[in-house]
Each structure stands twice: as C-alpha cells, then as structure tokens.
Amino acid sequence: MIPSPELARTIAPAATPSELLRNFCIIAHIDHGKSTLADRMLQLTGVVDERSMRAQYLDRMDIERERGITIKSQAVRMPWQVGPKAYALNMIDTPGHVDFTYEVSRSLAACEGAVLLVDAAQGIEAQTLANLYLALENDLVVIPVLNKIDLPAAQPEKYAEELANLVGGTPDEVMRVSGKTGEGVRELLDHIVELVPHPTGDPKAAARAIIFDSAYDSYRGVITYVRVKDGSLNPRERIVMMSTGATHELLEIGVISPEPTPTKGLGVGEVGYLITGVKEVRHSRVGDTVTNASKPAKEALGVYREPKPMVFSGLFPMDGSDYPDLRDALDKLKLSDASLRYEPETSDALGFGFRCGFLGLLHLEIVRERLEREFGLDLISTAPNVEYTVTMEDRTVLDVTNPSEFPSGKVAEIREPIVKSTILAPSEFVGAIMELCQQRRGSLLGMDYLSAERVELRYMLPLAEIVFDFFDQLKSRTRGYASLDYEDAGDAPADLVKVDILLNHEAVDAFSAIVHKDKAYAYGVDMAGKLRKLIPRQQFEVPIQAAVGSRVIARETISALRKDMLAKCYGGDITRKRKLLEKQKEGKKRMKAIGRVEVPQEAFIAALTSDATGKK
C-alpha cells in the first residue's frame, strides 16, 4: 500500500518501536541498478513526490551524477504499510565499485538484512560475491533479487538459478524486479518487511549508538550518522564519545527522510543523525560509540575493521601557501571517507604535501577531484610507492618512504614489504592470473578449486607490485570477475634500484621511482616517452633522461619551438639572414642554460597509468 503524504510526515518525527523497524541495504556489483531501484522505492513510499524526483536521487555529489556511479553510501528512512501496521524502513544505498568496499562494510554493520541485486542481463560478477561474503560475515538475511528484467537481453531464468545456487534456495525464491519501470518493487518491499528481522536491543539499558558515517557542514559543524543499539538518545542531553571521552550537548537529533528531519529522539534499532555544533572534525570517528553522559555505558560497541590501502601517492598543492588548506580539507574529507589515510610529506620539487593511502586508483582519482571541487584546491599527485628498509655497508639502517630519501652511498641490502595474497576467480582465467603474478615477481603458494568453475590462488607478492595498478590489471584480465585480498607477510631482500628522471639535466624527485633492477630500463623508457608527449615544447631543446645513479639508461628529446626570424627578410644579402639566425642560436643557448621546464599536471597523473601489458 502506498502511504499518504500525511503518513510519510507522521512516521518520521515520532520514535518507532523496534518491532516496526526494518534496516536493510542494497548491495551489488557496479552498474547493476542499485540507485535506480532506490529511486523507485522513494517514489513508492511517498517520501519524494513526482515534482522533486530526479534520477539517482540519493547520489548527492556532482561527481556521482556525472560518472553514473555511487561513491558515498546514503541512508534514508521510508514509511511502508502492510495491512494495518505502519512500518519504518531504513534503507542504505551502497557503492558498487571495489574501491569503495569499506563504505559497504560500514553500511552492513548498521543493518539486519541486505538486498543482493544482480543484473538479469549480466549475471553474477566480482562484487556480487565480495558483497555477499561481507553480508554473510555480518549474519545478515540476504534477499536475492534480479534487476533489469525489462531489458531485451535479460535472461532471468538462467541467472535466477545461478543466484539461487549461490545463496541457497530455489530459483522461484529469487525476486524479479525492474528498477526502471517499477515492476516488482512493491512486492519486494513487502518481502523485506516479512523476511528481514527487526532490530534487537535493550530500550532500558544505557544508551549505545555506533557511528557508521559522518559529514561536515560549514554552518552546522560535524553531522554524525549513528545506529542506536541500546537505550535512546534525546535532544538537549549531553553525550560522550567513548573512545576520546569528548562530551558534547546534543543540539539536534533526527532521521534522513530523505532530507534531514528533526525528531524527539532515537530509540533501539533506529538510524539517524546527531548535530552537536562541534567544528573539530577529529571528535567524530567512524566506529566510535556514543553514550549518555549522565548514564554512560560501560562497554563500547565493536569497531569496524580498518581498511587496507592498496595505492599510496603524494598529494601536493600547486601553490605552497595552500598547504594548511589542504590539511584542513583532508581532515574534513576523512569524515565522509573513513578509508582515507594520510601523513605529512616533503618533496624537493613539490614542497610540502601529504602521503596518502587509497583503496585503488579510482579512489585516488575521486579523492583528488573532490579536494579540487569541494575545497577549491589545485593539486599534483605523485607516482605510488611503498616503504623500504635500506642497510648501508657501514650497517646504518634507513627507512625509505620516498624515492628522494634513497641513499646515494654503497648499499649492502634493500628489503621490501611482501604480502600473502588470495585471488578468487573463475577457473578459465587461471592462465592470465598466473602470467600477471609472474610479471609482478610473485611466487605461487598453492591453488585450490572451490568448485568446477571457481578457483582460489595464493601468491606471495611484493607490496610494491600490488599498490601500483595490480588490482586494475587483474580486473581487466578477468573481465571483472576476480577478487583480491592480501595480508602482511613481513619483508624480504630484493634487487632494487632508484631510477631518476632528469628534465634539462635536473632531477625531478616526483618522477623518481624505486623499481626492480630487471624493470629499471622499461620504467625509464616508458616514463621518458610519456613525458616527451605531455610536456609542452619550450623555446629551447629539452632533454629527458632516465638514470640509475650516474648512468643514463634512456633518453628522449623535446625539440625547441622555432620562431621564423627570416619572415621580414625580403631578399637582400645572405649575410643579413645568417646574422639573424646566429643571434637566435646564441639566445637559445643562453635560455637553455637558465631555463626551467614547466611540467603540467597531466604529466604527473600519467605516472599512475600503465599500458595493457601490465608492466610499469
């Protein structure tokens, strides 16, 4: 039954008994229609009227709408009536790209059920499995759903059987919907009310609520999104952040329906937001527990598992005076993106900046674009690398986190971090995966067939080979079906060298890299070739050289721009023309001696890309 607008307004402000609450999220592979299905649910439940409706309603960022992907999880509360009972559904629309898996894992911790969405024209893909495993780890009730059944290429019978085998059950139990036309969405909402259990907790116990997300508003300060486990939170009472001990007054409390709606409080199982007016962003940490200051809880709720960065890169402001602004921007962005890691870093060529850890190259790209758009910064990002331990011949041990710190003396040993990685993929891609891992200096530990179609490979790999673009290459070689996990396995000695890139005989530390000796030549040729295409021509000839120590291993030359000095010479003695050309030649020599090369942003971004062969 479609609730009236009056019902939609009355359900949100009032505290709802936990028996009438249903908390669920939508999980799927990228581009399987999560946001479109969420749009139809918003319309059917009446929280968004026809006039206000737009495609991807819950995708609030311009980047999300432009790219057609979800980056941030969004929670929304919807009323839904089944028979005489009016229920409140808390839905979280999650991202589908693997780089934003941490968003999904936090959303799952705030729910009791998950709608596992599969495109009826594409079938089960990598993140379908990864998100299913995440949901099962959190003991969620999984509702399998086939979306896009209205497409001409849809094969609902085939993929319903696959999905049923995956989650357990029969193909008839797999629901069939169309997020575009709305077919089957009403039945799905009824199904959610029936199958997803209501949240449990002690309403009389001390208040405990876990922070699963947060955001920053320049006018209202930090906005904290919580899921209440026990007790209740009410306006104007004092609350305590259990990990930091910080105490704040609760100025406003409410739910998202789909815009922030103040309420008289949040009870057991409810999902909502808190505003304390605090501008200090470090006081609201994802995974922290909020409790009442007058009757504090003794034990905090479980924190989220910290995500493991897979790509490390330096972010530097184009203008050095923007460094404090970049620091504040990263602090605020950390609120809405808890997987971001950063620490201060200094570069001779780029000045002061931050060494940041990301979950993938798309994550890096999105973070840099958000910093530039939302905070008005002009940034340069450097090539990724990891931390090495260098032992000199005099037994001095150095930790090298940046190629510019690599010592110039005689080196006795270099140790690099290694990881034990697990790769899950369809068996047809075993050859391609093994080839990739061998190119990246991997050693096979073992291989198991989980089924006739699915295989698990375990490899020992250098971390430096993973953080660059290993995951992107793995996905492209396996058509997106492979999934990767890794854990630290200590360090091991390696034959590594530092490759310097020189522009006009000056080393640019941002382009320097520590690579395996066998790949040094390939890296030097590749980087010199890219820079020759990307750096604009100057008034003088610019040599681009790749060098290991004092030995140049590759060179490219950017030819000089030539002004036509003879354009105004209409005939006359040839010596006059020669005099002008000699004057120009002398000027170019002098310019080359003192000239500095302007390197555009694209040249730095190019350091993060690789060719289709999977080599640096």
Side-chain angles (χ1 to χ4, degrees):
M1 173 183 175
I2 302 174
S4 64
E6 290 76 15
L7 180 60
R9 283 193 292 270
T10 55
I11 285 185
T16 306
S18 61
E19 293 78 16
L20 298 178
L21 286 173
R22 298 292 185 271
N23 299 327
F24 72 98
C25 59
I26 305 175
I27 55 176
H29 191 83
I30 190 170
D31 200 31
H32 278 213
K34 296 178 298 301
S35 297
T36 308
L37 178 61
D39 288 347
R40 297 294 79 73
M41 288 182 173
L42 294 176
Q43 282 184 300
L44 267 179
T45 55
V47 294
V48 179
D49 57 35
E50 293 294 333
R51 188 174 65 175
S52 305
M53 192 63 205
R54 64 175 189 270
Q56 292 175 262
Y57 188 88
L58 293 178
D59 290 345
R60 304 297 172 92
M61 285 186 279
D62 292 339
I63 306 173
E64 292 179 310
R65 310 187 68 78
E66 288 168 15
R67 293 173 178 255
I69 60 173
T70 301
I71 295 167
K72 275 291 299 170
S73 295
Q74 296 290 346
V76 62
R77 181 178 172 124
M78 308 177 296
W80 188 249
Q81 192 140 345
V82 179
K85 291 186 177 180
Y87 292 87
L89 310 180
N90 287 313
M91 176 190 69
I92 303 180
D93 178 28
T94 65
H97 197 281
V98 68
D99 284 9
F100 306 106
T101 300
Y102 191 56
E103 289 283 321
V104 181
S105 67
R106 301 206 320 272
S107 303
L108 292 171
C111 299
E112 281 76 37
V115 173
L116 182 66
L117 207 61
V118 171
D119 189 328
Q122 297 182 58
I124 296 164
E125 296 192 54
Q127 283 306 106
T128 311
L129 293 165
N131 289 333
L132 172 62
Y133 297 149
L134 281 174
L136 295 176
E137 281 177 20
N138 284 271
D139 295 324
L140 266 59
V141 172
V142 178
I143 301 174
V145 178
L146 279 179
N147 192 23
K148 304 187 183 180
I149 59 170
D150 57 307
L151 291 180
Q155 297 176 277
E157 301 307 321
K158 175 187 175 182
Y159 293 125
E161 190 171 344
E162 276 190 18
L163 197 48
N165 292 336
L166 182 66
V167 300
T170 64
D172 295 336
E173 294 172 353
V174 177
M175 298 206 67
R176 295 159 173 80
V177 304
S178 170
K180 186 177 180 181
T181 66
E183 180 184 349
V185 179
R186 189 189 308 276
E187 292 76 9
L188 175 59
L189 288 169
D190 290 340
H191 215 54
I192 290 167
V193 169
E194 179 187 347
L195 294 181
V196 176
H198 64 78
T200 57
D202 186 355
K204 296 181 181 178
R208 288 194 304 170
I210 191 164
I211 300 175
F212 69 90
D213 205 355
S214 48
Y216 186 83
D217 185 282
S218 54
Y219 298 104
R220 313 188 77 184
V222 178
I223 301 174
T224 305
Y225 297 96
V226 297
R227 151 75 193 267
V228 180
K229 178 66 177 173
D230 296 315
S232 61
L233 293 171
N234 302 293
R236 293 298 170 186
E237 66 183 11
R238 296 194 70 77
I239 58 171
V240 177
M241 306 293 180
M242 292 187 73
S243 69
T244 61
T247 305
H248 311 291
E249 184 181 359
L250 202 49
L251 301 180
E252 184 178 312
I253 188 168
V255 296
I256 311 293
S257 184
E259 304 304 324
T261 307
T263 67
K264 296 177 181 177
L266 293 177
V268 171
E270 291 197 280
V271 175
Y273 68 91
L274 312 175
I275 296 177
T276 58
V278 174
K279 300 276 184 168
E280 180 52 63
V281 295
R282 291 180 178 85
H283 286 174
S284 181
R285 288 169 44 188
V286 167
D288 199 357
T289 302
V290 179
T291 188
N292 196 307
S294 59
K295 185 186 174 184
K298 294 179 181 177
E299 192 176 334
L301 297 166
V303 296
Y304 301 107
R305 187 172 61 185
E306 289 294 315
K308 292 175 286 191
M310 302 189 76
V311 171
F312 300 85
S313 177
L315 289 180
F316 296 85
M318 297 277 261
D319 184 348
S321 62
D322 287 339
Y323 175 76
D325 296 334
L326 176 58
R327 183 183 58 228
D328 294 341
L330 283 167
D331 283 344
K332 290 171 183 175
L333 194 60
K334 171 82 173 171
L335 276 178
S336 62
D337 188 353
S339 59
L340 180 63
R341 295 282 175 274
Y342 57 92
E343 58 184 29
E345 183 185 35
T346 307
S347 163
D348 293 338
L350 303 173
F352 293 103
F354 289 89
R355 167 72 38 179
C356 303
F358 306 93
L359 299 184
L361 289 181
L362 177 65
H363 188 207
L364 186 159
E365 194 180 333
I366 293 296
V367 167
R368 192 183 67 237
E369 198 166 337
R370 287 187 67 185
L371 287 169
E372 290 177 346
R373 286 192 188 196
E374 296 174 23
F375 301 97
L377 297 167
D378 290 322
L379 301 174
I380 291 174
S381 56
T382 64
N385 64 287
V386 297
E387 185 174 343
Y388 301 95
T389 303
V390 180
T391 305
M392 308 299 289
E393 283 200 345
D394 61 0
R395 296 299 169 192
T396 307
V397 179
L398 304 171
D399 290 328
V400 177
T401 58
N402 194 311
S404 62
E405 300 171 356
F406 198 84
S408 56
K410 290 188 177 181
V411 174
E413 184 185 58
I414 304 174
R415 300 186 71 85
E416 64 176 348
I418 58 171
V419 292
K420 182 181 177 183
S421 60
T422 304
I423 301 169
L424 292 171
S427 54
E428 63 187 285
F429 300 115
V430 168
I433 294 170
M434 283 185 162
E435 183 188 5
L436 175 64
C437 291
Q438 285 166 4
Q439 287 177 354
R440 299 304 178 94
R441 300 187 283 129
S443 55
L444 182 65
L445 298 177
M447 181 171 69
D448 293 316
Y449 279 84
L450 306 179
S451 68
E453 296 85 23
R454 194 158 178 77
V455 66
E456 176 186 86
L457 294 97
R458 294 181 301 281
Y459 267 91
M460 198 69 81
L461 284 160
L463 182 61
E465 300 287 356
I466 286 184
V467 300
F468 190 76
D469 64 345
F470 178 83
F471 201 45
D472 294 306
Q473 289 293 330
L474 181 67
K475 286 187 287 184
S476 66
R477 291 180 184 225
T478 59
R479 299 206 300 270
Y481 277 90
S483 59
L484 169 73
D485 190 26
Y486 71 88
E487 59 186 27
D488 184 32
D491 56 16
D495 193 3
L496 303 171
V497 294
K498 178 190 175 186
V499 180
D500 285 313
I501 303 295
L502 291 78
L503 296 180
N504 200 20
H505 308 293
E506 284 188 24
V508 181
D509 62 349
F511 291 130
S512 299
I514 300 169
V515 298
H516 193 265
K517 191 175 182 179
D518 295 342
K519 295 188 176 182
Y521 175 72
Y523 176 81
V525 170
D526 184 44
M527 187 60 69
K530 284 179 182 174
L531 293 177
R532 186 179 67 81
K533 294 175 184 175
L534 287 161
I535 294 176
R537 291 168 69 189
Q538 313 288 316
Q539 291 290 336
F540 53 93
E541 186 181 89
V542 178
I544 303 170
Q545 297 167 304
V548 175
S550 59
R551 183 168 60 93
V552 174
I553 59 173
R555 173 179 170 132
E556 294 279 357
T557 303
I558 302 173
S559 57
L561 282 170
R562 184 177 181 276
K563 183 180 177 183
D564 190 358
M565 298 290 288
L566 309 180
K568 296 180 181 178
C569 292
Y570 303 104
D573 189 0
I574 188 67
T575 56
R576 184 181 171 211
K577 296 181 181 179
R578 283 180 181 161
K579 184 179 177 183
L580 287 171
L581 291 173
E582 287 297 322
K583 188 178 178 182
Q584 182 187 42
K585 191 176 177 182
E586 288 298 318
K588 284 193 180 291
K589 274 186 183 177
R590 193 166 60 251
M591 191 184 292
K592 187 174 181 180
I594 63 171
R596 291 186 61 85
V597 183
E598 289 289 329
V599 182
Q601 167 77 341
E602 290 76 18
F604 290 96
I605 297 169
L608 301 176
T609 61
S610 69
D611 56 31
T613 63
K615 298 175 185 175
K616 285 187 182 180

